[in-house]
Amino acid sequence: MDILRNLIILSFLSISIVTIGASQCSTWIGIPQKEDAENAHSIYRQALKAEDYKIAFENWKKAYELAPAADGKRDYHFMDGVKLYKRLYTNETDAAKKKEYVDIINRLYDEAVACYEAKGIKPSTCKSDECFTKRVGYVWGRKGFDMFYTFNAPYSENLAVFDKALEKAGNSTEYIVFDPISAIVVYQFQKGKMTKDQVLSYWNKMEAIAEHNHEHNKKLGKYYDQAWKAAQAKFGPIETDIFDCDYFKPSYKKMYEENPDDYETLKNVLGLLKKRGCPETDPFVAELDKKWKVYAAEENARRQAEFEANNPGVMAKKLYDEGDYSGACAK
């Protein structure tokens, strides 16, 4: 049944590929076919929910061609078109067809961006230029997400799209982009295609977005926090190459505070701090170094006394060489 359904959809697709590029930001408001466009819109939306993709595609195509921007208040015809073509892409085996679908999907995303930028789509919730800019960032983020997870796009092209998402959406950037951005950045750095400063720039941007939403976004804050923690883990293979003392110090301090009286822990943490470039003047480093020197002096004295007690012959020779003959005889 699914195969038959996809074949039927393909028959409609062959017609739509030619015309889809001419889409603008026109709406159904005031056009003679307004009722037809509205009906096609309602039918395809319901069919999409019911997963009846034959009916959904057929009516989406009609609604899109009559009114790409629907009633001018929503991006459904662009974003739902993406969903429908992604399904076709996933089920397709022919490489040429798959490329055609990707081209159409990218065009739909770009058209949505253009309509938001031109305010050809005016959501009722958008009352400022900032709102439209954030909507543009949202679309770029979704496009970048698909490029990574569905289309396996070249990383440089993919990252350029994510750059636009971060720039436009700012703190409203969706948390779903953290994982793919982190994966791309780490790979590019490992291959010598990105500098340490570039990596840190992406890290800082994502960290700021995550922290802002964790603090201010009551609805989705926890998801930003979870997504950021997962993204941070991806930086593990390169963290010693890009981060300095301040990045590592909190975790090392926690390690020490969990067992402050264990001198093996003290030695280990102090060694790690110095290995990560923490200066001796750093208060935490200075505190541990002072504590370690006191311990080391006491431990060395204890060991020396134990050695002398267990090796009288060695001490006798030492005293003899120093001219302490009576002491040497006692040993």
Side-chain angles (χ1 to χ4, degrees):
M1 181 62 71
D2 285 341
I3 295 175
L4 177 60
R5 178 181 295 170
N6 287 331
L7 289 174
I8 295 173
I9 292 175
L10 285 173
S11 67
F12 289 106
L13 174 65
S14 63
I15 300 173
S16 66
I17 288 175
V18 177
T19 62
I20 215 165
S23 299
Q24 302 298 320
C25 303
S26 56
T27 71
W28 61 54
I29 306 301
I31 67 171
Q33 304 94 334
K34 179 175 183 294
E35 185 175 351
D36 291 340
E38 289 178 320
N39 288 339
H41 172 87
S42 297
I43 293 171
Y44 100 72
R45 291 283 294 173
Q46 291 300 317
L48 196 57
K49 291 178 182 178
E51 299 184 355
D52 188 340
Y53 296 106
K54 173 186 176 297
I55 296 298
F57 186 88
E58 180 179 5
N59 284 275
W60 167 82
K61 177 179 176 294
K62 184 175 182 180
Y64 172 83
E65 290 180 344
L66 290 173
D71 60 357
K73 297 180 180 180
R74 64 208 76 209
D75 58 18
Y76 288 169
H77 291 179
F78 299 112
M79 305 305 277
D80 287 342
V82 168
K83 293 177 184 177
L84 289 165
Y85 276 101
K86 278 172 62 179
R87 179 176 174 79
L88 290 173
Y89 174 90
T90 302
N91 293 327
E92 183 58 66
T93 57
D94 181 78
K97 281 291 184 183
K98 290 177 82 73
K99 183 180 183 305
E100 287 180 351
Y101 298 157
V102 172
D103 290 342
I104 293 172
I105 289 167
N106 286 333
R107 199 178 307 154
L108 287 167
Y109 272 127
D110 293 346
E111 288 175 359
V113 166
C115 284
Y116 275 123
E117 290 180 333
K119 296 183 181 177
I121 301 176
K122 298 179 180 179
S124 57
T125 55
C126 269
K127 306 297 183 183
S128 65
D129 290 342
E130 182 183 8
C131 178
F132 285 96
T133 301
K134 288 180 178 179
R135 292 299 300 177
V136 169
Y138 162 80
V139 177
W140 283 126
R142 287 301 175 105
K143 180 178 180 178
F145 186 87
D146 282 344
M147 289 173 71
F148 183 84
Y149 285 109
T150 305
F151 308 132
N152 195 28
Y155 278 176
S156 58
E157 296 176 14
N158 204 160
L159 201 56
V161 172
F162 280 132
D163 285 341
K164 294 177 182 178
L166 293 168
E167 176 191 353
K168 298 295 184 180
N171 286 332
S172 296
T173 302
E174 289 189 287
Y175 60 83
I176 63 172
V177 307
F178 289 170
D179 188 78
I181 289 177
S182 300
I184 293 174
V185 167
V186 169
Y187 179 86
Q188 294 292 79
F189 179 78
Q190 290 175 323
K191 297 300 180 181
K193 298 179 179 180
M194 187 172 288
T195 66
K196 170 184 173 179
D197 288 342
Q198 288 174 315
V199 173
L200 290 174
S201 176
Y202 284 103
W203 172 280
N204 292 333
K205 287 177 183 178
M206 291 188 290
E207 182 178 49
I209 293 168
E211 290 180 351
H212 172 85
N213 283 277
H214 184 57
E215 182 177 353
H216 300 290
N217 192 333
K218 293 182 180 180
K219 183 179 180 181
L220 300 174
K222 65 179 181 180
Y223 298 107
Y224 276 90
D225 186 53
Q226 292 169 1
W228 177 231
K229 287 178 180 177
Q232 285 177 289
K234 287 192 176 294
F235 284 83
I238 65 170
E239 64 178 6
T240 57
D241 297 315
I242 62 173
F243 294 118
D244 58 16
C245 171
D246 290 336
Y247 170 79
F248 293 101
K249 190 163 63 172
S251 61
Y252 293 160
K253 191 171 185 179
K254 181 180 178 182
M255 186 189 306
Y256 165 72
E257 290 174 346
E258 287 176 351
N259 201 1
D261 297 323
D262 179 62
Y263 287 98
E264 281 300 317
T265 299
L266 171 62
K267 179 182 177 181
N268 184 39
V269 170
L270 186 59
L272 288 170
L273 287 166
K274 292 182 177 180
K275 186 177 180 180
R276 303 307 179 210
C278 297
E280 293 182 358
T281 54
D282 181 276
F284 183 53
V285 176
E287 175 192 343
L288 297 194
D289 195 44
K290 181 180 180 181
K291 187 174 180 179
W292 172 254
K293 286 178 179 177
V294 171
Y295 166 77
E298 293 175 348
E299 181 64 12
N300 287 339
R302 183 191 68 78
R303 291 184 180 183
Q304 181 64 25
E306 182 179 320
F307 175 81
E308 292 178 1
N310 294 329
N311 297 274
V314 174
M315 292 309 301
K317 177 65 167 62
K318 181 175 181 293
L319 292 172
Y320 179 86
D321 291 340
E322 293 173 352
D324 184 357
Y325 302 116
S326 61
C329 287
K331 287 294 182 181

